[in-house]
Amino acid sequence: MRVIVVGAGVVGTMHAWHAVSRGHEVVQIERESEARGASLRNFGQIWISGRAGGEELETALRARELWEGIGEQVPGLGFRACGSLTPLRTVREVAVAEAAVARTDAAARGYKLLTADEARAVNPALRGAFTAALWCERDAAVEPRTAQLALRQELLASGRYTYLGGREVREVVGTASVRDDHGDVHTGDAVILATGAWLGGLVRELAGPDLPVRRVRLQMMQTDPLGEPLTTSVADADSFRYYPAYRGEALDTLNAGQAQDPVAAEHRMQLLMVQRRDGGLTIGDTHEYEHPFAFDTVEEPYEHLTRVVEAFLGRPLPRIRHRWAGVYAQCTDTSRVVHRQQVRDGVWLVTGPGGRGMTCSPAIAETTADQLGWCTT
């Protein structure tokens, strides 16, 4: 069997991974020389803690299992089972965490409510003021800027994988065949369009104007090395307002009685923070949904994030080295993990995982492989 994968972000690369792992041949085509979109511009988090119960959590947990296995095979991913802490400052924030710990699926997530001292024993870098913390043992991380490259090197070693960068697919021709902008036709038994936030052009032509997927823009930053380990990922209580696992009466009370910082509210913000292997901190993020998106980044969100992080760390933040914006594709029905649609004979569009792409992509691709009958040869 021969699979043509269009797009070299994490969703496309995981489809290539599952096809090659099952003994099939893959040609992966990317319009850039290598991926430059949301798959590189994210936290690299395998984020279990905030996922909605049911299908979303099941997908994330399966993906977390797959990430760990792939990480053992591909050390360049930088997989680490670091868990996460969400420091809490107020009674209302603690109440949301208590409700999370009381969920029927809390054990599957590895939830535990810690005192401040217990949290600092897990992550000594958190020297600032807080009263408790929500621990999620199942959260993990990889290195987003290098993960696709590491996976590609392993795929190339299989002898069943071809990578074609700098080629844009312009047309579907016949069954399970595409033509690129070099005029070359690539024919297989299945075509996977994993084009990320590229929803115009060929995608619009194939899926129509009513594709139930929107684009979301974010801002993030990365610092110089912290100079000490940040042993877990870190979130703040604004993440409770963003992630579906925390919805309920306690969150309603938090929203009603504890106003969000005006900058955070304006930019639909939460704090997420992960330490990179070089010691720097990846910090974000904002969410912008209305088109057209701004072409520039604004400073107020970075200033807000700096204040929040410094309060948790109890020390000044290292110099910010990088600031960037990114765009990802999200199903308009945010309860859906991904949009998977057959758009032509032998051609499937897989897009719209939203902020779950890095977390869920191995399981999303596995489901595609199972549904399309990519049996192990």
Side-chain angles (χ1 to χ4, degrees):
M1 182 175 178
R2 192 168 192 252
V3 180
I4 310 300
V5 177
V6 180
V10 68
V11 173
T13 300
M14 282 300 174
H15 279 82
W17 181 271
H18 279 286
V20 168
S21 297
R22 297 180 187 208
H24 305 300
E25 181 184 352
V26 171
V27 176
Q28 188 170 24
I29 307 169
E30 166 59 41
R31 61 179 179 163
E32 305 279 359
S33 59
E34 58 188 52
R36 282 288 183 268
S39 296
L40 279 74
R41 305 183 195 195
N42 65 76
F43 297 95
Q45 287 185 312
I46 318 304
W47 194 245
I48 308 301
S49 50
R51 301 297 170 208
E55 179 189 3
E56 183 176 330
L57 177 59
E58 291 167 5
T59 302
L61 287 170
R62 174 55 180 161
R64 202 292 193 175
E65 180 183 357
L66 290 167
W67 272 119
E68 185 167 14
I70 297 169
E72 292 173 357
Q73 186 175 347
V74 187
L77 287 180
F79 177 87
R80 50 203 183 276
C82 55
S84 73
L85 286 170
T86 303
L88 311 167
R89 293 177 175 145
T90 70
V91 171
R92 292 186 179 91
E93 293 173 2
V94 171
V96 177
E98 289 173 338
V101 171
R103 291 180 59 104
T104 57
D105 55 18
R109 301 169 189 266
Y111 277 157
K112 187 177 180 181
L113 187 60
L114 304 182
T115 66
D117 286 343
E118 289 171 336
R120 291 188 185 98
V122 173
N123 191 338
L126 297 175
R127 300 186 185 90
F130 56 95
T131 60
L134 179 63
W135 164 245
C136 182
E137 181 269 338
R138 295 298 292 162
D139 288 334
V142 296
E143 291 300 299
R145 292 186 181 224
T146 58
Q148 272 64 253
L149 297 176
L151 289 167
R152 188 193 307 164
Q153 290 305 309
E154 189 71 17
L155 288 166
L156 287 167
S158 72
R160 298 188 303 277
Y161 171 82
T162 301
Y163 180 78
L164 299 175
R167 293 175 180 245
E168 183 172 323
V169 170
R170 293 287 182 84
E171 183 183 8
V172 171
V173 290
T175 300
S177 297
V178 296
R179 179 181 287 115
D180 66 28
D181 59 358
H182 291 216
D184 294 331
V185 174
H186 309 276
T187 299
D189 299 286
V191 174
I192 303 298
L193 300 175
T195 55
W198 176 42
L199 302 176
L202 180 63
V203 173
R204 178 179 292 272
E205 177 184 327
L206 295 172
D210 299 321
L211 182 68
V213 177
R214 64 180 177 179
R215 300 169 78 236
V216 181
R217 182 180 185 268
L218 53 83
Q219 286 187 202
M220 295 174 61
M221 63 183 181
Q222 190 163 320
T223 73
D224 277 341
L226 180 63
E228 63 179 318
L230 187 76
T231 56
T232 71
S233 298
V234 176
D236 74 348
D238 278 340
S239 67
F240 293 162
R241 309 176 196 264
Y242 184 75
Y243 286 106
Y246 306 113
R247 292 171 186 161
E249 290 184 9
L251 180 61
D252 292 342
T253 300
L254 173 67
N255 287 331
Q258 183 174 318
Q260 191 176 18
D261 179 277
V263 173
E266 178 185 357
H267 296 279
R268 300 177 177 91
M269 296 181 67
Q270 61 177 340
L271 168 70
L272 296 177
M273 177 168 61
V274 185
Q275 189 169 46
R276 303 271 64 94
R277 289 198 291 185
D278 71 355
L281 305 176
T282 300
I283 301 170
D285 61 351
T286 64
H287 300 88
E288 183 179 355
Y289 302 101
E290 292 78 25
H291 290 239
F293 293 142
F295 63 84
D296 51 1
T297 59
V298 292
E299 193 63 21
E300 289 82 1
Y302 294 118
E303 294 170 349
H304 168 77
L305 290 168
T306 298
R307 289 193 296 271
V308 174
V309 171
E310 290 183 344
F312 285 156
L313 296 179
R315 53 167 285 185
L317 194 65
R319 180 178 69 97
I320 298 172
R321 294 183 59 194
H322 306 287
R323 305 172 193 262
W324 67 88
V327 178
Y328 59 73
Q330 179 187 60
C331 292
T332 51
D333 176 0
T334 56
S335 68
R336 295 180 58 195
V337 173
V338 73
H339 179 75
R340 188 183 288 106
Q341 176 185 355
Q342 184 172 359
V343 293
R344 290 291 187 275
D345 289 344
V347 182
W348 284 263
L349 173 66
V350 184
T351 187
R356 297 169 288 215
M358 202 68 179
T359 295
C360 293
S361 55
I364 289 170
E366 181 182 57
T367 298
T368 302
D370 291 343
Q371 290 182 357
L372 272 57
W374 297 354
C375 299
T376 301
T377 60

